[in-house]
Amino acid sequence: MMATMRQRSARRLAIGAGSALLVALGLLPGSPAAQAETVPRVVPRAAAPAAADACGAILGKPEGGTWSCTFVDHFAGNGQPVDDKWLAGETRWSGFRVDQTCIKAGRPNVALRRGTMVLTARDEGAPFTCRSPLGDFDTRYTGASVGTRGRFSQTYGRFEIRAKLPDTDQTGLHAAFWLYPNEHTYGRWPHSGEIDIAEWWSGSPTTVLPSLHYSGRTYWGDSGWWCSIADVSKYHTYAVEWTPQEMRFYQDGQQCWTRTWQPDSPLVAPQPFDHPFNIALTMAVDKETGNNAVGPHTDLPAEFVIDYVKAWQ
């Protein structure tokens, strides 16, 4: 992207409700009369530092006040993600799978590379048995899913990534940036909620879909079908601002969808979105049938590359 979000935001200062942003510049002392002195001395004043925290420049909330950084990872170094921030999933102990994908925690499916976290879906070349406490299955595909469960979670706030998706229009790939509840407070999925901030299928490569899942969800009403990115293979930012009243979804800083929700009785809004959720990132393959079927034509290996993950409250 022409200039990274961090480069732009480091020069901005959020004031008041965040609707006005001013560039903080040093001022040169002296009036025109002073500049006419026989021995002029112009001493530049140091530029005032932009207000910032660990996430970067302070961001204003639309409803007033400012966001405060609660989580940030820029993925320094190489190797694998630091265990105190991320848990890399494994189908063999969690039972979590995505369609034909056997989730693996180690390299080459999960790795840090040159300041990014890279999640990779792969064709392993031959069928194998994927072990699962919920029932073994045969597949030839592996993928990755990492999350902050047991390390970080919060109720309400702003969550954002900067990332790029695979450069393909062939069917078979499925990636997501999403939030999932720490506990099944209101029952098993979908009753306790799920917040998809950016979900992508390679068969519809320009659609990067935000969605809410809960008891009472409607197909057309609870997904932002018009949220799209022309070229997902370049870096873009995807974010949600989650409040008790509504969720606002953003792509590259532009709001593309807003949703309030009305759960089925006996729940009352803001339930089920009123308890702690953790961050999750997934790169996988889809089913062997359907509109996004995986097969020999699917471009594999496929990488979901994440430059940073941030959260505020």
Side-chain angles (χ1 to χ4, degrees), residues 30-302:
S31 63
Q35 293 170 2
E37 293 174 354
T38 54
V39 184
R41 287 188 66 201
V42 179
V43 181
R45 190 178 302 166
D53 59 16
C55 286
I58 300 296
L59 302 177
K61 298 181 180 180
E63 61 270 21
T66 57
W67 294 109
S68 177
C69 185
T70 54
F71 179 92
V72 61
D73 199 342
H74 288 286
F75 306 112
N78 296 290
Q80 287 201 284
V82 179
D83 287 343
D84 62 358
K85 288 188 175 179
W86 299 97
L87 174 66
E90 285 265 5
T91 300
R92 65 182 176 85
W93 54 259
S94 70
F96 177 69
R97 61 181 282 190
V98 180
D99 300 314
Q100 293 300 305
T101 315
C102 186
I103 300 298
K104 297 286 188 178
R107 300 180 73 175
N109 297 98
V110 182
L112 297 183
R113 187 177 68 204
R114 295 189 296 275
T116 64
M117 179 162 65
V118 182
L119 307 182
T120 304
R122 296 170 48 84
D123 182 343
E124 298 300 334
F128 66 95
T129 299
C130 183
R131 303 297 180 187
S132 170
L134 302 181
D136 299 348
F137 63 99
D138 292 333
T139 186
R140 60 186 295 149
Y141 305 108
T142 60
S145 189
V146 303
T148 61
R149 182 176 177 85
R151 289 140 174 84
F152 169 79
S153 64
Q154 70 182 36
T155 308
Y156 310 128
R158 178 182 170 91
F159 300 80
E160 178 179 296
I161 63 168
R162 181 175 184 266
K164 59 183 179 179
L165 291 155
D167 184 9
T168 182
D169 60 1
Q170 298 297 305
T171 64
L173 302 178
H174 182 190
F177 166 40
W178 51 300
L179 307 179
Y180 195 74
N182 270 3
E183 304 293 338
H184 292 129
T185 305
Y186 303 107
R188 305 293 293 185
W189 189 92
H191 300 290
S192 293
E194 176 183 319
I195 305 168
D196 296 324
I197 303 167
E199 190 168 15
W200 174 83
W201 294 265
S202 58
S204 182
T206 63
T207 301
V208 186
L209 197 65
S211 297
L212 300 182
H213 294 272
Y214 60 102
S215 180
R217 166 183 165 83
T218 65
Y219 180 80
W220 291 110
D222 284 293
S223 290
W225 295 102
W226 45 90
C227 293
S228 65
I229 295 289
D231 185 355
V232 299
S233 68
K234 296 179 180 178
Y235 278 114
H236 298 278
T237 59
Y238 305 94
V240 65
E241 292 178 346
W242 164 25
T243 76
Q245 294 77 36
E246 65 180 9
M247 297 199 198
R248 303 181 291 265
F249 294 86
Y250 299 84
Q251 294 179 345
D252 292 332
Q254 299 298 311
Q255 188 171 331
C256 70
W257 185 52
T258 300
R259 182 63 173 168
T260 58
W261 58 97
Q262 293 298 326
D264 287 344
S265 179
L267 299 188
V268 177
Q271 298 170 330
F273 301 107
D274 65 342
H275 58 131
F277 281 55
N278 56 75
I279 302 168
L281 299 157
T282 301
M283 182 70 235
V285 300
D286 216 328
K287 304 178 183 67
E288 292 182 311
T289 59
N291 293 334
N292 195 50
V294 64
H297 60 279
T298 303
D299 288 324
L300 291 167

